[in-house]
Amino acid sequence: MSANLLDSAAVDRRGFLKGTAGALAFAFTLVESADADAQASASRLNAYVTIAADGRITIAAPAPEMGQATNTTIPLIIAEELDADWQRVAVQTAPVAAAYDHPIFRSQFVVGSLTTRGYWMAIRTAGAQARRMLMDAAAARWGVPVSELATEPSVVVHAASNRRLSYGEIATFAQVPAQLPEIAPTMLKPVSRFRLVGHDVKRWDVPGKATGKAVYAIDVQVPGMLYGVVARSPVMDAAPRSHNGAEIARRPGIVAVLPLAQGVAIVGERIETVLEARANLKVEWNSARGSAFDSDVGRETYLAHVRDEAQTVVVGRRSGAVAPALAGAARRVSGEFTTDYVYHAQMEPLTCVASVTADGVEVWAGTQWPSRARDEAARIAGVAADKVKFNVLPMGGGFGRRAQIEYVTEAVEVSKAVGKPVKLMSTREDDVANAHCRPMTAHKIDVGLDAAGKIVGWRHRIAADLVVTQVYGQPRLDAQNGVDHIVMAHADVPLYDVETHQAEHIYENPGVRSAAWRGIGAGPNAFAIEAMVDELARLAGLDPVAYRLRILKDPRGRLAVEQVAMMAGWPKQSTGNTGYGMALTRLGVPQLGESIAAVMVEASLDRARGRIAVSRMWCAVDVGLPVQPKNIRQQVEGSLVWGLSSALTERISFKNGAVQQQNLLDYEVLRMSAMPQIEINIIRSGEIPLPVGELGLASVMPAVSNAIASLTGRRLRNAPFTPDRVRDVLRA
């Protein structure tokens, strides 16, 4: 997230109330009947809380669910301030509506591990307002000052008269006031009194997933529904020049063959028929910018660019004047690193069901950006946004890929063309071929040291494809003065005692589809930074823990390093075929707070085969206020596994502009047999939850590189660390 965006969208109490007063006017709905029809009717008016006469409380989860358990976490926080009996709470996925917009993004949008952190004050305020309205209603009924009342779980209590009213009882007579009570931050429940937040509760999404009752887009069935697939251009922006669609359309069961901007859609009555037709579709594509791109050649080009002082750069991060600091250094140390393109490999390939009729549009999809998807559906169908019913479904994995919505817009376009509901599905092969990748990157870090070995200057040059323009458009990049915040994430070194530093982006434009990918730029950038820190430790003659403790100026970072070292039983000697390495990284944005992860790995090396196996990981994470410790461990474990998979095996390569990999056989993700033992220690450092969903991922790649360097004295600089690359380094 860019500084410009956050500065303009900072959330304070008065700004929140002013900006969302209209939405929160329905934040609390009181229902006189527990009848299911009444409950459903009330839910359509409600932004967050609905209370039925029997005491049942329904809380809306505003953020789409893709495995991070926000459909438990957000309602839990609301229930905390509401002082609700969690056993009487049901969770409901919120519709697409302004009332549920993320306070920072001003849209229903899940990205950057900022869901819980971003909604934090808004949902606490909503819960507290609901509680205050219950108390006001009870005070009026009893004729006592509201200051004499208190609440227990789902009960308002007047201790002086020993009277009690349940929330359900109050729901039968209370009225929502025209003006919501204003809740100052001091009126919120002190964190020390939390009874739900900070404790583990059962996730709302697990039963449905475990029993198969959870409905994903791929499960949706609509009367009269057709099936569709899209053969997308292998090269970005290449349109179909010619195809044998007329022949395909004559096949029994095929309804239509439709050219799209970057593909050809086949629609039929049965998915089997459509897939068979897809296998026989022949398309010739126009040339585009990326038609000749070769990623192996591109990697060398990117490296040449970071070495070339004459290259045009955009400064993404800066502190002090780095050029004179490096020029005046007693010693200058440099390091180069690269990372390959990687694919999201989400479990559920991209799927959307759309129905365009004269009355409006209905869409069923799992997406990280429901607001944008709804608006684009309305634009394509030629209707107002309020004529689009968007069913927000759980995602079978998102990881940044579902922040892009072309699979939704294509489904709407195809349904509009054929006049029937259409389930548009991607096969795994089509999903891989249409990969919107985390960019390939090349890095050159130059560090200046004084005579005593202190860092006096640090410059980090990054050659990478642009991502912001493909996710948000060119105007967003222009508004950020050319800084691609996705690429430049955590390219600075604020935890360390480095007063003068600069991070620079050299734009690359190979014509490859790009996207945010779990951890965004923090993964590649941390690889270069933390491997470089390890190199400096060797020059200083110190072990990696001792050196980091020497140069760390951030007390939270110091504690995380000390904790992970203690967990791993440091010091450990790298001997034989087993080595140890560590890394320290951050997640988040300074304006909202950053979480910290220190990771240590135990890695073994089969020198003859060039294979690396990680047997153990230790991870200490500082997350501010841990909302749900068990879920935090699950999210961190997932991030660590993602980081390890991208470090060892995952890579997308391009020849003539096309993805060379086809499926999970040749795009290898980490297998269960390669899973290490993982130990996680959660550090609480404050009273605000900090980002978790991608925490830990960025530390793994440098930690593995550092472990192999400690074992062999040779540095792995090109990720992933495939056996052929490892053997090349050992032979060098």
Side-chain angles (χ1 to χ4, degrees), residues 29 31 35-46:
T29 300
V31 187
D35 179 81
D37 291 338
Q39 186 89 320
S41 175
S43 296
R44 287 194 292 271
L45 297 175
N46 171 56

Side-chain angles (χ1 to χ4, degrees), residues 97 123 214 272 331 367 405 510 523 546 570 623 723:
I123 57 178
E272 296 86 354
R331 183 175 185 180
T367 170
I405 59 166
W570 190 264
V623 298

Side-chain angles (χ1 to χ4, degrees), residues 54-333:
D54 64 359
R56 287 181 298 164
I57 301 172
T58 302
I59 299 180
E65 174 58 40
M66 60 178 174
Q68 75 279 50
T70 56
N71 63 352
T72 300
T73 302
I74 299 299
L76 188 76
I77 295 167
I78 295 172
E80 181 72 76
E81 289 292 347
L82 178 61
D83 210 4
D85 179 355
W86 183 250
Q87 301 304 314
R88 305 302 308 277
V89 171
V91 174
Q92 197 170 64
T93 300
V96 182
Y100 304 106
D101 281 356
H102 190 285
I104 298 169
F105 304 130
R106 309 294 171 90
S107 182
Q108 275 170 279
F109 191 25
V110 177
V111 71
S113 299
L114 288 173
T115 299
T116 301
R117 177 65 189 95
Y119 277 106
W120 174 245
M121 286 301 292
I123 57 178
R124 290 185 69 191
T125 300
Q129 285 174 329
R131 174 177 175 269
R132 179 56 189 262
M133 284 186 279
L134 288 165
M135 295 175 69
D136 285 343
R141 172 60 61 96
W142 287 331
V144 299
V146 72
S147 60
E148 293 183 4
L149 303 184
T151 57
E152 297 173 0
S154 288
V155 176
V156 175
V157 178
H158 185 234
S161 63
N162 199 28
R163 284 181 288 184
R164 302 165 63 87
L165 279 172
S166 72
Y167 287 1
E169 291 173 308
I170 299 173
T172 63
F173 62 80
Q175 298 292 321
V176 178
Q179 181 66 40
L180 291 176
E182 185 165 331
I183 304 296
T186 54
M187 298 168 65
L188 297 174
K189 183 186 292 188
V191 172
S192 60
R193 289 177 46 206
F194 281 178
R195 58 181 181 80
L196 297 174
V197 171
H199 302 281
D200 293 319
V201 300
K202 294 180 180 179
R203 287 176 53 158
W204 276 96
D205 59 332
V206 168
K209 292 174 179 177
T211 60
K213 293 180 180 179
V215 176
Y216 296 85
I218 203 167
D219 301 316
V220 172
Q221 298 292 325
V222 177
M225 183 179 75
L226 300 175
Y227 295 86
V229 296
V230 176
R232 296 179 180 87
S233 59
V235 180
M236 184 176 71
D237 295 332
R241 182 168 62 244
S242 64
H243 56 83
N244 64 338
E247 173 191 333
I248 296 293
R250 289 193 292 269
R251 288 173 167 244
I254 297 299
V255 174
V257 178
L258 306 169
L260 303 176
Q262 294 187 50
V264 177
I266 303 174
V267 184
E269 296 168 355
R270 300 174 67 244
I271 187 60
E272 296 86 354
T273 306
V274 171
L275 291 176
E276 183 180 357
R278 167 71 178 90
N280 289 276
L281 179 69
K282 297 179 176 61
V283 186
E284 291 186 7
W285 305 95
N286 291 326
S287 293
R289 172 186 287 274
S291 295
F293 180 64
D294 182 310
S295 54
D296 289 337
V297 175
R299 186 184 308 105
E300 297 306 315
T301 301
Y302 288 19
L303 276 170
H305 287 169
V306 295
R307 295 166 184 156
D308 183 1
E309 298 286 338
Q311 284 290 319
T312 300
V313 302
V314 172
V315 176
R317 306 285 187 270
R318 174 188 284 152
S319 175
V322 75
L326 291 175
R331 183 175 185 180
R332 186 161 165 170
V333 183

